[in-house]
Amino acid sequence: MKEAGVDLPQALPSGPSAFIPIEEILEEGAAQEVMSGALLSEGRVNHINMMMGLHPTYLNCFLRTQNALLQLDGPLPLSWRHFIIILASARHQCSYLVQHHSTAFLLAGGDESWLRGLHCAPPKIQHLQTLNKLLAHRPWIITQEHIQELVCPGAEARWSLAELIQAIVLMSHAHSLASFVWGCGILPEPEQSGDQSLQLCSPTESCSPRDKARNHQEWSEAVNEVKLLMERMMMVQQQGEEFTQEEMVTRFERERTESLLEHADVQRSVLPDCFSRFVVDADFTYQDFSPRGVQAPPTMRAQDYSWEDHGFSLMNRLYGEMAQLLDEKFQVVCALTYHTMAMHSHVDTSTLRKAIWNYIHCIYGIRYDDYNYGEVNQLLERGLKVYVKTVACHPEKTTPRMYFSFWRQFRHSEKVHVNLLLMEARMQAALLYALRAITRYMT
């Protein structure tokens, strides 16, 4: 039939990911205790938890945060929380999350008619759509006016600050988790697999891990890439050279400008109804920070508004328990290391992890005055930059080829580690812009 040109249906890969063999996930014995906890609390281990289970310390933090966000007492009803996640997930065409939270919405007593579309939800929720699209695609545009429109509309649809901060965390959580789902190639749960819109990719040859090293030459090249990266990391760690503030700014601007060249295929496509019913202004998507023109937004200097000095303090006043959980999650993911890299052990990977985090914040227009952005170019290869920018900004455009094109000799768990850094850096960046706008509104 193949010779006759007939397209044959292909079986989906087994396991939670289209990119990662189930064998590698099951080999990680350290995750078993955390998996058991997830099994007891949720009655099952879903595909997201299985992937995060490659890093049990992080998964513990994630589960505590998600439980507090979706289960514990708070200003918003439980059904509303799930519906807000549906709206946020739809912006990135993440069927996995849309379907999961549609089910959870109904189980929490949600009105089934809302699932017919945003227009069926109360006006109060409909008013979130502008903030939702900005948080998802261009958070640097958020201003105190956007906050004022929600908390002081002079009508019954008014949001309290406590309600709004919970909604902002829910939306940011869903946007960043959608990046993780797409970045790790997470497949539908068994009960979702009948929905063809949920298929991330066909298990073609490009999805196969055998692509990592088809022949001895590619294997040797990949080994040399690891060796070269380790040498560069050593150089960065040993550099004692100091730069003027002007030179540091110049290096940031150079990196930001170069990041404009690392773009995914972002051709417009018609949204399927399963997403479009929840999306307003579907043509509004990511646009590179600080585009050319008079209206270019100013860079956010971390010294002027950072999570540690400003965001956490405000969050702690408005949503205390969540501030503590988010802070712990950010700290855990930034410190997470096993002192290994590909086939090497006893490696200090701190400079590499910091370069990934700061590159994502650079894409989002956040600059650290004390960081030498020249290190980003030294440590992050182009394939990794393309992947990171795509997953952070256009996650629905992620392809298997992007996943397999960088770090060809690294373990899959190390690539999942990149996705954890990416997810949390993205979430923190979006929260910083929203919290800054709230701070300006309050003052």
Side-chain angles (χ1 to χ4, degrees):
M1 292 180 71
K2 281 186 177 180
E3 290 175 358
V6 177
D7 289 331
L8 296 177
Q10 300 183 38
L12 282 171
S14 59
S17 170
F19 303 161
I20 305 176
I22 183 63
E23 295 79 18
E24 178 158 340
I25 298 171
L26 295 177
E27 282 174 6
E28 301 289 335
Q32 295 308 310
E33 183 179 343
V34 183
M35 293 297 190
S36 299
L39 186 62
L40 289 173
S41 65
E42 299 186 19
R44 60 174 299 174
V45 181
N46 64 38
H47 289 174
I48 289 177
N49 291 346
M50 287 183 71
M51 299 301 299
M52 291 182 179
L54 293 169
H55 303 280
T57 306
Y58 173 84
L59 177 58
N60 261 323
C61 289
F62 176 84
L63 290 175
R64 284 197 299 273
T65 304
Q66 183 160 266
N67 179 65
L69 194 55
L70 295 174
Q71 302 295 334
L72 300 187
D73 290 341
L76 294 176
L78 296 184
S79 60
W80 280 45
R81 301 182 205 181
H82 289 291
F83 193 75
I84 288 170
I85 288 186
I86 292 169
L87 301 183
S89 305
R91 293 233 54 115
H92 286 312
Q93 303 177 39
C94 187
S95 300
Y96 183 100
L97 293 178
V98 169
Q99 182 150 328
H100 173 76
H101 287 279
S102 294
T103 302
F105 168 77
L106 296 175
L107 291 174
D111 185 341
E112 188 174 2
S113 68
W114 294 15
L115 296 181
R116 294 203 296 266
L118 178 61
H119 63 283
C120 296
K124 183 171 178 174
I125 287 186
Q126 294 183 39
H127 291 163
L128 276 182
Q129 269 307 305
T130 296
L131 192 57
N132 181 30
K133 74 177 185 181
L134 294 180
L135 279 169
H137 307 298
R138 305 176 208 171
W140 48 86
I141 296 178
I142 299 172
T143 66
Q144 65 194 67
E145 285 74 24
H146 292 113
I147 304 302
Q148 186 170 351
E149 288 172 5
L150 291 166
V151 298
C152 293
E156 70 280 357
R158 174 184 178 273
W159 286 79
S160 70
L161 273 178
E163 291 173 331
L164 184 58
I165 197 70
Q166 187 174 41
I168 285 171
V169 176
L170 283 162
M171 289 184 285
S172 301
H173 171 80
H175 298 149
S176 60
L177 191 54
S179 283
F180 184 81
V181 169
W182 285 108
C184 292
I186 292 179
L187 292 166
E189 300 293 333
E191 69 272 14
Q192 298 176 339
S193 58
D195 185 345
Q196 293 303 308
S197 68
L198 292 173
Q199 308 309 332
L200 283 173
C201 67
S202 297
T204 57
E205 189 178 7
S206 62
C207 280
S208 170
R210 287 175 295 180
D211 271 359
K212 290 166 56 179
R214 287 183 176 180
N215 53 51
H216 180 71
Q217 181 180 353
E218 286 194 14
W219 178 275
S220 300
E221 288 174 357
V223 170
N224 288 334
E225 287 170 5
V226 177
K227 181 181 178 182
L228 180 61
L229 177 55
M230 289 192 65
E231 291 172 355
R232 288 177 175 173
M233 287 170 57
M234 290 287 290
M235 287 175 56
V236 166
Q237 291 163 4
Q238 294 170 0
Q239 282 174 353
E241 187 177 1
E242 294 186 3
F243 300 97
T244 65
Q245 192 58 48
E246 290 75 13
E247 175 63 20
M248 297 287 257
V249 172
T250 298
R251 287 174 175 238
F252 169 82
E253 289 298 331
R254 184 183 303 140
E255 187 56 50
R256 182 192 61 74
T257 302
E258 288 181 5
S259 77
L260 303 183
L261 306 176
E262 312 297 356
H263 60 84
D265 175 13
V266 291
Q267 293 179 354
R268 298 288 183 267
S269 56
V270 178
L271 278 182
D273 178 64
C274 60
F275 306 124
S276 63
R277 70 181 79 160
F278 300 119
V279 172
V280 173
D281 193 7
D283 289 336
F284 187 94
T285 58
Y286 173 83
Q287 186 178 77
D288 284 308
F289 172 82
S290 203
R292 300 180 187 276
V294 180
Q295 300 301 319
T299 297
M300 178 190 278
R301 296 174 65 247
Q303 283 71 11
D304 294 336
Y305 203 93
S306 68
W307 169 258
E308 294 78 10
D309 298 329
H310 308 91
F312 173 79
S313 177
L314 178 61
M315 178 79 75
N316 205 33
R317 287 168 55 192
L318 298 175
Y319 197 180
E321 182 180 11
M322 186 53 57
Q324 300 290 336
L325 289 166
L326 289 174
D327 189 58
E328 179 188 13
K329 191 154 60 83
F330 293 149
Q331 290 190 40
V332 164
V333 80
C334 287
L336 188 62
T337 183
Y338 307 93
H339 304 288
T340 59
M341 199 169 83
M343 66 290 292
H344 301 279
S345 55
H346 309 293
V347 181
D348 180 0
T349 61
S350 57
T351 53
L352 182 58
R353 287 180 279 123
K354 190 172 186 178
I356 293 170
W357 183 277
N358 286 356
Y359 178 62
I360 296 162
H361 276 198
C362 174
I363 293 171
Y364 274 75
I366 299 173
R367 185 181 83 230
Y368 294 86
D369 285 349
D370 57 352
Y371 182 71
N372 173 15
Y373 285 88
E375 294 179 11
V376 171
N377 264 345
Q378 288 179 271
L379 300 178
L380 306 189
E381 61 180 90
R382 185 176 184 276
L384 175 55
K385 281 186 173 183
V386 170
Y387 175 81
V388 165
K389 183 173 181 182
T390 302
V391 177
C393 305
H394 313 279
E396 62 279 4
K397 302 295 182 181
T398 307
T399 66
R401 185 175 298 278
M402 289 178 189
Y403 177 88
F404 288 110
S405 67
F406 76 94
W407 285 7
R408 292 180 291 172
Q409 273 305 305
F410 282 67
R411 290 187 289 274
H412 288 289
S413 60
E414 292 171 307
K415 293 193 174 187
V416 173
H417 191 174
V418 169
N419 275 279
L420 296 179
L421 281 167
L422 191 157
M423 174 173 67
E424 295 300 340
R426 176 188 177 173
M427 182 172 187
Q428 188 183 96
L431 286 176
L432 283 175
Y433 284 112
L435 292 171
R436 183 180 68 173
I438 293 176
T439 298
R440 289 174 175 174
Y441 163 75
M442 293 174 67
T443 55

